[in-house]
Amino acid sequence: MKKLILICVLISTVSFAQIKTGAQNYNAYLPLLKGKSVGIVTNQTGIIDSKTHLVDFLVQKNIKIKTIFAPEHGFRGTADAGEHVSDEIDAKTGLSITSLYGKNNKPTPEQLKNIDIMVFDLQDVGTRLYTYVSTMHRIMEACAENNVPLIVLDRPNPNIAIVDGPVLDIAFQSGIGMHPTPLLHGMTLGEEAKMINGQKWLKNGVQCKLTVIPCLNYNRKMTYSLPVRPSPNLPNDQSVNLYVSLCLFEGTNVSMGRGTEKQFQIYGSPYLPKSNFAFTPKPNFGDKDPLYNGVECNGEDLSAIPRINKLEIKWLIKAYQSTSDKSKFFDKRKFSIRAGNEKLQQQIEAGTSEEEIRKSWQEGLKNFKKMRAPYLIYR
């Protein structure tokens, strides 16, 4: 009986243990940084807890940080999507910040010259369209080319249970799709880093000296609510869940709510038929010049729907079928880069059913899951 009680207590402890991010798993990486000159790639998501940023934590631990490298949206995460981010000085710490978004998207040999080790800590959302994985790819490449070890502090993927969508055709490789992965890949950045290295996807097949600091008490069945918005236009869990499904609209003439308070939770355009929902985009924190600025858009409010567990394309199909001018719906180049192929647009224009479209993804998804298996950290 005592043995049974002990087993129940242990199961309870494991089940309700709090997830700890790689950054919070500091006993695993602080010894690797002692006495080293450190470069760090991070932004507002790189936190230890609600009050402490990783950079401040490392400074308190007397870790010598030489440079902060900032991705899209900047170190404090306030720049619009696609907006040029300039180099600056962090007002709080006095540390220099080097932008990795704009002309200089990869650290130069000169910028890495006096750095002994690099640390990478960004919160991803589980889709190949999010630019943080591209930033990580370039950091890995620069570290490999300049013989600088890299530590990736892993964080949970809020969409980790979903593997869905077309696998990228490498002919459509871009900054929002660098690897042959599906739109939703179900991996953390730490797992992706291992895959990028293992598959030799870096330029000329180079591999970096990589250490992934894993999350603790985490598995693939767990849900995870982001404590900080990962970018200006992802304000809550609903937007993070719907992001990639609605992001496909960025290759069309449909707005997905930029310039409102429900970014990536609504969609609409002046070319869709009137319904019981409409919105008017206006400049705001997330977008200074949103699509259809000041123009009423008819569409659909998804902000209160249940969480989705797949790449949802029914809204895209519905919008195409009901738009007033189908010839102006798609921007072929923008859509193909986001979809990762030309086929999805062709299927929608041909009236292919959603079921048939999904069937066309299955072989690619099966092969991808087989390829990624050796790199998974969490079960």
Side-chain angles (χ1 to χ4, degrees), residues 86-377:
S86 60
D87 296 349
E88 54 187 318
I89 299 295
D90 180 45
K92 186 172 182 179
T93 62
L95 294 168
S96 66
I97 300 172
T98 298
S99 170
L100 292 177
Y101 198 78
K103 292 181 180 179
N104 178 39
N105 60 17
K106 174 180 170 181
T108 64
E110 184 64 28
Q111 290 167 341
L112 294 177
K113 191 174 182 181
N114 295 312
I115 290 177
D116 299 319
I117 193 165
M118 286 283 282
V119 175
F120 184 98
D121 185 23
L122 294 173
Q123 175 64 63
D124 193 53
V125 297
T127 169
R128 71 162 187 256
L129 296 181
Y130 216 54
T131 59
Y132 295 167
V133 67
S134 301
T135 298
M136 184 175 70
H137 176 110
R138 295 180 181 115
I139 290 292
M140 291 176 68
E141 199 167 84
C143 285
E145 292 168 348
N146 293 278
N147 198 29
V148 177
L150 173 66
I151 297 175
V152 172
L153 304 182
D154 211 8
R155 290 182 178 270
N157 172 358
N159 292 306
I160 198 166
I162 313 173
V163 182
D164 202 13
V167 172
L168 175 78
D169 177 342
I170 212 68
F172 295 91
Q173 188 177 46
S174 72
I176 53 173
M178 298 189 76
H179 311 120
T181 65
L183 277 167
L184 285 155
H185 48 65
M187 302 179 79
T188 65
L189 280 181
E191 292 172 329
E192 281 199 274
K194 289 176 63 180
M195 185 168 65
I196 291 167
N197 228 22
Q199 295 298 124
K200 297 186 177 181
W201 285 340
L202 301 177
K203 187 178 179 182
N204 298 321
V206 295
Q207 293 175 298
C208 75
K209 186 178 179 182
L210 174 69
T211 301
V212 176
I213 305 299
C215 303
L216 301 177
N217 311 318
Y218 182 55
N219 65 58
R220 313 192 92 76
K221 296 181 178 67
M222 289 180 168
T223 57
Y224 184 71
S225 180
L226 301 190
V228 177
R229 66 168 75 189
S231 51
N233 285 297
L234 291 180
N236 54 33
D237 292 342
Q238 186 77 339
S239 63
V240 169
N241 182 230
L242 293 172
Y243 169 72
V244 68
S245 296
L246 296 192
C247 201
L248 289 172
F249 278 123
E250 291 194 314
T252 73
N253 66 359
V254 175
S255 163
M256 70 301 300
R258 292 185 188 272
T260 74
E261 297 305 310
K262 291 185 176 181
Q263 307 99 316
F264 291 99
Q265 299 158 81
I266 57 179
Y267 73 89
S269 88
Y271 305 104
L272 294 180
K274 284 193 174 296
S275 63
N276 59 2
F277 176 73
F279 62 93
T280 303
K282 295 178 182 179
N284 68 358
F285 167 74
D287 199 331
K288 297 181 181 67
D289 186 23
L291 179 66
Y292 301 128
N293 185 2
V295 178
E296 185 176 79
C297 297
N298 305 305
E300 195 168 355
D301 185 352
L302 308 173
S303 61
I305 68 168
R307 180 178 174 83
I308 60 174
N309 59 4
K310 61 183 177 181
L311 176 69
E312 191 59 84
I313 58 171
K314 66 182 179 183
W315 303 309
L316 181 66
I317 294 171
K318 178 182 177 181
Y320 175 76
Q321 291 176 344
S322 60
T323 190
S324 59
D325 187 347
K326 290 180 173 57
S327 68
K328 295 180 179 179
F329 186 81
F330 285 108
D331 180 316
K332 184 176 180 180
R333 179 181 172 278
K334 285 184 178 180
F335 188 80
S336 296
I337 285 174
R338 284 160 178 78
N341 60 45
E342 290 181 331
K343 189 174 182 180
L344 182 56
Q345 178 180 337
Q346 293 167 354
Q347 288 171 321
I348 292 171
E349 288 176 332
T352 307
S353 71
E354 180 180 343
E355 182 182 7
E356 287 300 312
I357 292 174
R358 290 189 179 281
K359 280 183 181 177
S360 70
W361 301 342
Q362 295 313 304
E363 184 177 355
L365 289 172
K366 180 181 177 181
N367 293 336
F368 169 72
K369 287 178 182 179
K370 185 177 179 180
M371 180 189 68
R372 76 169 192 160
Y375 308 112
L376 299 184
I377 298 169

Side-chain angles (χ1 to χ4, degrees), residues 4-43:
L4 180 60
I5 292 172
L6 178 60
I7 291 171
C8 290
V9 169
L10 287 173
I11 291 172
S12 176
T13 302
V14 171
S15 299
F16 294 99
Q18 185 178 10
I19 296 170
K20 288 191 175 182
T21 65
Q24 292 171 311
N25 188 6
Y26 46 79
N27 289 331
Y29 64 86
L30 282 179
L32 304 176
L33 304 181
K34 290 291 184 184
K36 303 285 180 64
S37 178
V38 179
I40 182 165
V41 185
T42 191
N43 62 5

